[in-house]
Amino acid sequence: MKPSIAKKLAHLSARLEELNLLLSRENATADMESYRKLSREHAELDPIVAHYHDYRKIEADIAAAQDMAGDPAMKEFAQEEIAAGREKLDAADLELQKLLLPKDPNDERNIFLEIRAGTGGDESALFAGDLFRMYSRHAERQRWRVEVVSASESELGGYKEIIARIEGLGAYSRLKFESGGHRVQRVPETETQGRIHTSACTVAIMPEADEIADVELNPADLRIDTFRASGAGGQHINKTDSAVRITHLPTGIVAECQDGRSQHANKASAMRVLAARIKDVQVREQQGREAATRKSLVGSGDRSERIRTYNFPQGRVTDHRINLTLYKIDAIMQGDMDELIGALLAEHQAEQLAALAEESL
């Protein structure tokens, strides 16, 4: 273990003891905000310190085995114990490094999923519909809740644009690397010559903002317009000005919603999307600063980047950031994204470990 990491772990161990004392005081709950803050810190440190104590125990076991190695009768047994102990120590060291990696404060948040059709006309809109179905079915597998906030359907099916809220623990942590350009190569249903066409869609994954804590929205900075909703929705939706468009004047960011049954519901949904978009800009700016200091393959935050190609004739999905190709396009389009997501998360973790190693030099 690197001395800098050992020093940090010793400090965290001492801090946990201090927290135990603070939380066990008689008046610990007098200030509930402080109590919650200390409890959260305790919950974060407890597993790290527990692993650190396990690491120290393995070190002690190796030292005891080395002492035994001086006895000829115990030498062979001791050497086996030392070898097994060193293997455990390496695994424990890696696990501790992972536990020390910085946590993304947005990881446990709900998200807004936004899919926009790009080049390719009707075929692009159909692909947007396919992508929405893929993410929806993945959400079902995770037992997350999907709620369509706004949708603009195309004439042949699919969507010109669709925004959905996905509610579930860890939604952002699993889907945050889906933002970017998604390209499809296939023969459209309308193609009579059997030629393969290439179309594209843009996906944005935005962590849901806590409007009060995360994004300060001054009413004076907002322009709220109401208008008559268009598209499907029955008689009610076409007779009233229930659709709402909100513009954040300082940034020019716009959010609108027309799928709700009332102006009040649409305004609430549009405000949530607006807050998420403003927060998303902040997150991408931070990712951009991090990418400037170290080359990040999966966390650059660049929406214009083409990140993945779905080739239907060859049955493959290729993620260009990590050079991963999987020949299971049907399963992936049905929401079986675990292998793809797992590879992206592993790559991100490897980048973080490399950065931690550089800091420890």
Side-chain angles (χ1 to χ4, degrees), residues 41-89:
E41 187 181 357
H42 187 279
E44 288 173 7
L45 292 187
D46 193 48
I48 300 173
V49 174
H51 273 82
Y52 176 53
H53 289 161
D54 289 344
Y55 181 91
R56 297 304 300 269
K57 185 179 182 303
I58 296 167
E59 279 187 324
D61 290 344
I62 292 172
Q66 286 170 335
D67 289 340
M68 280 195 296
D71 183 346
M74 301 293 290
K75 185 175 181 180
E76 187 176 344
F77 172 75
Q79 286 175 337
E80 289 176 3
E81 288 292 299
I82 291 167
R86 283 178 177 158
E87 202 171 303
K88 286 184 189 175
L89 202 66

Side-chain angles (χ1 to χ4, degrees), residues 48-304:
I48 300 173
V49 174
H51 273 82
Y52 176 53
H53 289 161
D54 289 344
Y55 181 91
R56 297 304 300 269
K57 185 179 182 303
I58 296 167
E59 279 187 324
D61 290 344
I62 292 172
Q66 286 170 335
D67 289 340
M68 280 195 296
D71 183 346
M74 301 293 290
K75 185 175 181 180
E76 187 176 344
F77 172 75
Q79 286 175 337
E80 289 176 3
E81 288 292 299
I82 291 167
R86 283 178 177 158
E87 202 171 303
K88 286 184 189 175
L89 202 66
D90 288 342
D93 188 9
L94 180 60
E95 185 61 29
L96 278 168
Q97 287 185 56
K98 289 179 182 179
L99 289 169
L100 287 173
L101 292 177
K103 302 287 190 297
D104 186 331
N106 296 313
D107 270 352
E108 301 308 316
R109 289 183 183 272
N110 303 325
I111 62 168
F112 283 100
L113 162 69
E114 180 180 283
I115 305 172
R116 290 174 183 264
T119 54
D122 290 332
E123 171 62 10
S124 177
L126 289 170
F127 181 49
D130 292 338
L131 286 176
F132 178 64
R133 194 177 309 110
M134 176 183 78
Y135 290 122
S136 296
R137 289 184 175 167
H138 181 70
E140 286 172 15
R141 289 167 179 257
Q142 305 299 316
R143 299 189 177 181
W144 297 338
R145 181 169 169 266
V146 180
E147 170 197 357
V148 174
V149 174
S150 175
S152 174
E153 297 178 8
S154 72
E155 293 177 6
L156 294 180
Y159 302 98
K160 296 174 186 175
E161 176 188 288
I162 182 165
I163 301 171
R165 179 177 180 265
I166 298 180
E167 179 185 342
L169 191 64
Y172 184 72
S173 69
R174 283 187 66 79
L175 295 179
K176 62 184 173 182
F177 299 127
E178 292 300 301
S179 292
H182 293 242
R183 185 176 68 169
V184 62
Q185 295 172 329
R186 64 184 175 188
V187 179
E189 292 178 15
T190 54
E191 170 58 58
T192 56
Q193 304 296 318
R195 291 172 299 189
I196 295 172
H197 288 225
T198 299
S199 305
C201 289
T202 301
V203 172
I205 302 292
M206 301 174 289
E208 184 177 39
D210 180 334
E211 292 172 31
I212 298 171
D214 292 344
V215 179
E216 189 176 331
L217 293 175
N218 186 339
D221 292 337
L222 303 177
R223 188 179 73 230
I224 301 175
D225 300 307
T226 57
F227 58 98
R228 190 158 296 181
S230 60
Q235 295 180 353
H236 165 82
I237 201 165
N238 290 317
K239 285 186 176 179
T240 62
D241 290 342
S242 60
V244 175
R245 180 186 297 113
I246 305 177
T247 305
H248 186 243
L249 299 174
T251 61
I253 294 172
V254 178
E256 65 179 55
C257 185
Q258 60 178 348
D259 282 29
R261 295 290 294 172
S262 70
Q263 189 181 111
H264 178 75
N266 283 328
K267 182 181 176 183
S269 292
M271 282 291 283
R272 290 205 318 246
V273 173
L274 182 71
R277 283 183 172 160
I278 293 171
K279 181 176 179 61
D280 180 57
V281 170
Q282 297 168 351
V283 169
R284 282 192 283 145
E285 284 175 353
Q286 182 184 345
Q287 289 173 339
R289 287 194 295 272
E290 289 172 358
T293 56
R294 61 180 178 85
K295 190 177 184 296
S296 178
L297 289 173
V298 292
S300 66
D302 185 357
R303 288 285 151 74
S304 62

Side-chain angles (χ1 to χ4, degrees), residues 299-333:
S300 66
D302 185 357
R303 288 285 151 74
S304 62
E305 177 191 12
R306 189 187 76 211
I307 64 167
R308 194 175 297 147
T309 295
Y310 304 74
N311 186 302
F312 278 80
Q314 295 179 19
R316 64 174 169 83
V317 175
T318 299
D319 196 290
H320 305 291
R321 295 164 294 180
I322 55 176
N323 295 321
L324 173 70
T325 296
L326 299 174
Y327 288 89
K328 50 186 290 187
I329 194 166
D330 290 340
I332 289 171
M333 298 311 292

